[in-house]
Amino acid sequence: MSQVVLILVGLIGSGKSTFAQALEHHLPASFRRCNQDDLGDRRSVEALARQALGLGLSVCIDRTNFDAQQRAHWIRIARDYSVPVWVLVFDTPVQVCSERLRTRVGHPTIKDFEQASEVLSQFYSQFQYPRLNEGYDNILYLKPSDHLSPHWSLDEVATILSRLEKSTSRDWRTSDEGAPVMDRS
């Protein structure tokens, strides 16, 4: 697989970090996880992404990336390095995210369920699905039913990357609500 910028998109509790941690664990020679909760701010995430890309690694941007403006930072960085942009959307209903947050422990920035609920509500109100004109090359949507386990094996991670590599933005059209849907025509 060639070098890529993989942008994760989804609400808190949707499964992004679980996937990103597994990706880096199973493929440490290929991917660097860039997570704002661990690094403190977007500029630190950008610096790590640029450093990893400069070393020839792919990067996984593990943030909510809840709107086009948030995603545009990573797309610009990818273009600076002439690297394709892949988007993996964790299309997890807000109720499922809330249920997961109820039992979450050890998060670096969110200390309790009350705080998690407030953050979830804020991001949910601002969330925008990726649109075709944002500049990404490949996109894949994952629903909770696509992966039932709380853990990701190497084979499962590799399958997702393979599915992403085979997808293209041309495979998606935008629904009336703005969410891309598979174009079956």
Side-chain angles (χ1 to χ4, degrees):
M1 183 179 84
S2 61
Q3 193 177 22
V4 299
V5 170
L6 173 58
I7 302 171
L8 304 186
V9 175
L11 297 171
I12 65 167
S14 63
K16 298 178 311 299
S17 291
T18 302
F19 177 83
Q21 290 165 349
L23 175 66
E24 188 175 55
H25 172 77
H26 292 304
L27 301 170
S30 301
F31 272 92
R32 181 71 63 240
R33 175 180 174 247
C34 303
N35 177 269
Q36 186 163 323
D37 292 328
D38 294 338
L39 297 172
D41 59 35
R42 192 189 75 226
R43 285 189 182 95
S44 298
V45 176
E46 289 176 6
L48 179 59
R50 288 181 181 282
Q51 177 187 28
L53 288 167
L55 294 171
L57 295 169
S58 291
V59 296
C60 176
I61 307 300
D62 181 11
R63 303 172 74 243
T64 56
N65 296 305
F66 58 82
D67 65 15
Q69 183 178 358
Q70 297 284 316
R71 295 183 289 269
H73 295 290
W74 317 115
I75 293 169
R76 274 193 301 275
I77 289 171
R79 298 305 176 228
D80 288 348
Y81 288 84
S82 301
V83 173
V85 178
W86 293 359
V87 175
L88 182 57
V89 180
F90 288 78
D91 195 11
T92 307
V94 68
Q95 303 88 335
V96 173
C97 294
S98 182
E99 291 168 19
R100 290 177 179 177
L101 294 172
R102 200 174 284 286
T103 59
R104 179 190 265 181
V105 294
H107 191 274
T109 61
I110 298 174
K111 301 306 176 197
D112 57 32
F113 178 66
E114 182 179 327
Q115 183 185 14
S117 292
E118 291 172 12
V119 173
L120 177 60
S121 179
Q122 176 188 355
F123 284 141
Y124 180 65
S125 70
Q126 299 172 345
F127 187 83
Q128 298 171 0
Y129 282 96
R131 294 186 178 268
L132 294 175
N133 65 353
E134 290 184 28
Y136 53 83
D137 301 293
N138 301 55
I139 188 168
L140 181 67
Y141 280 69
L142 289 180
K143 295 194 174 298
S145 59
D146 294 331
H147 188 265
L148 299 175
S149 170
H151 305 286
W152 288 87
S153 70
L154 173 57
D155 287 344
E156 291 167 331
V157 168
T159 296
I160 294 301
L161 294 177
S162 177
R163 287 176 61 196
L164 255 168
E165 187 172 30
K166 292 174 186 171
S167 74
T168 68
S169 60
R170 292 182 308 275
D171 294 332
W172 296 91
R173 64 177 172 76
T174 304
S175 72
D176 294 339
E177 294 79 35
V181 294
M182 187 63 141
D183 188 359
R184 306 245 184 237
S185 56

